[in-house]
Amino acid sequence: MSFSPPALPKYITGCLAGALISAFSQPVGAQELLWLTHSSFFNPKEKHAKNIDIMGETMTMILDGLDEYQTRVLYANTNSAFNLLKSKSHACTGNKTVSEQRLSFSYASKYPQSIYPGLRLYLKKDSIYFNKIKELIDEQQAIPVAQALTRIKGAKFGVVGSRSYTGQLDKLISDPAWKKHFWVRSGEDMASGMIEMLFADRVDFIFEYPGIFDRYRPDQGKTPDIASFAIAESPPYVLGHILCSKTPQGLALVNKIDKVIEKISREDDYFNSHINRVSESARQDMARYYNQVYGTSKQIQQTAPAPGQKSWQHD
């Protein structure tokens, strides 16, 4: 693999450093691969990128198995990544949920790049809607968003532009009947900006993944005034697949990537990159789901996670 990312932060370590070293020995006649990532570690403007995140870590392991490709890594938010998938013949982007609309311009990997805890509904505990939302908790201890939209009048739900919230939630967000209830944020800081809007009382609710919320919350978890609930329309775990250009080159790439993931998902490093980023109480559940998805039989080793590594990003 030839790996030449632009303007990376100075604190590159571990397997990522090894991948960078390989950039100096470019294979003759190597095929090109443009890898588009929104991992905050690859964003030179990202103030939160102190440690490589799950997306960057698993991406590096996958790229290390693509040694026949000359790879260029480019930081791109979801909108930019999708535009490049449509315009380039040899581009891929990782950690994306799969939808019918996305499959119209891309090929999706069979195996996910990563598995991560599902969406939660966040609001402030002093919100005028806090007691009303608690009344909607169902038998599975989750909030049915469809009921919330019907019963809570005037509330503003913040959503991130171009993100797929999967299945039923996407249908609710795109339904013209509920359009006035959703405030859509677009731009480079879509996720972090939406979280800041919740803290600033500019929206009443947001749908977010726990790792992203914890990473970007402006109070760094120091104030207990935020509540979160499971969402009935969202699965407990979400799969982040790799999407490649809908071209012959893209199809070849996605087939090769699936072979790489099938192999490395059986290795401890790939397994631990998932286990170390969920709470200890959730690790057995994550291990079961990991084995189900990848067809493995991995078991948790009693080792401490690396400091500062609890970060998820996905769209």
Side-chain angles (χ1 to χ4, degrees), residues 153-170:
K153 307 296 184 181
K156 202 178 285 187
F157 292 76
V159 294
V160 174
S162 295
R163 176 189 279 180
S164 173
Y165 287 92
T166 70
Q168 297 178 61
L169 267 185
D170 282 340

Side-chain angles (χ1 to χ4, degrees), residues 24 45 71 77 88 102 124 127 168 171-172 176 210 267:
F24 294 99
K45 300 178 182 178
T71 304
N77 65 24
K88 301 292 184 181
R102 292 179 175 187
K124 297 179 76 171
S127 167
Q168 297 178 61
K171 290 180 181 178
L172 287 171
E267 299 173 1

Side-chain angles (χ1 to χ4, degrees), residues 17 45 56 86 91 108 113 137 167 206 218 222 239 278 287:
K45 300 178 182 178
K86 295 171 185 176
Q113 176 182 346
I137 296 175
I206 63 171
K222 294 177 182 177
L239 306 180
V278 296

Side-chain angles (χ1 to χ4, degrees), residues 1-242:
M1 174 190 68
S2 168
F3 185 27
S4 49
L8 285 177
K10 295 179 180 179
Y11 33 81
I12 295 166
T13 59
C15 58
L16 181 58
L20 286 171
I21 291 170
S22 70
F24 294 99
S25 55
Q26 297 184 3
V28 177
Q31 303 173 72
E32 291 185 359
L33 165 59
L34 176 62
W35 191 281
L36 310 164
T37 181
H38 64 280
S39 167
S40 59
F41 188 77
F42 290 85
N43 182 3
K45 300 178 182 178
E46 176 57 73
K47 62 183 179 180
H48 300 271
K50 295 179 181 179
N51 298 92
I52 192 165
D53 53 28
I54 178 67
M55 181 167 25
E57 189 171 62
T58 53
M59 181 197 82
T60 302
M61 296 182 203
I62 292 167
L63 292 183
D64 199 44
L66 299 173
D67 52 7
E68 68 267 50
Y69 287 91
Q70 180 180 334
T71 304
R72 183 164 67 97
V73 177
L74 179 67
Y75 179 82
N77 65 24
T78 303
N79 279 330
S80 298
F82 288 168
N83 287 333
L84 286 167
L85 281 187
K86 295 171 185 176
S87 63
K88 301 292 184 181
S89 63
H90 55 281
C92 295
T93 184
N95 234 48
K96 299 290 187 289
T97 54
V98 177
S99 67
E100 185 176 343
Q101 188 269 337
R102 292 179 175 187
L103 290 176
S104 69
F105 60 80
S106 67
Y107 291 114
S109 61
K110 172 185 175 182
Y111 296 104
Q113 176 182 346
S114 60
I115 304 167
Y116 42 89
L119 288 163
R120 294 185 69 85
L121 180 72
Y122 288 88
L123 76 158
K124 297 179 76 171
K125 290 181 180 178
D126 61 2
S127 167
I128 60 173
Y129 303 112
F130 182 67
N131 290 329
K132 292 181 180 179
I133 207 71
K134 287 204 301 182
E135 293 172 1
L136 300 179
I137 296 175
D138 64 15
E139 294 177 355
Q140 283 71 45
Q141 298 301 299
I143 300 294
V145 174
Q147 288 188 34
L149 290 168
T150 301
R151 299 189 187 182
I152 301 178
K153 307 296 184 181
K156 202 178 285 187
F157 292 76
V159 294
V160 174
S162 295
R163 176 189 279 180
S164 173
Y165 287 92
T166 70
Q168 297 178 61
L169 267 185
D170 282 340
K171 290 180 181 178
L172 287 171
I173 293 168
S174 61
D175 189 333
W178 305 118
K179 186 175 181 180
K180 65 180 181 180
H181 291 277
F182 293 104
W183 198 100
V184 181
R185 184 181 181 93
S186 300
E188 189 172 325
D189 65 340
M190 292 184 289
S192 59
M194 184 57 71
I195 293 168
E196 289 175 358
M197 289 182 66
L198 176 67
F199 275 82
D201 297 317
R202 293 176 62 192
V203 293
D204 302 298
F205 302 96
I206 63 171
F207 309 122
E208 194 49 88
Y209 297 97
I212 292 182
F213 189 87
D214 291 342
R215 185 179 184 87
Y216 290 115
R217 58 185 300 170
D219 67 341
Q220 300 179 327
K222 294 177 182 177
T223 56
D225 62 345
I226 297 293
S228 74
F229 299 92
I231 297 172
E233 291 87 351
S234 180
Y237 290 96
V238 178
L239 306 180
H241 289 260
I242 294 167

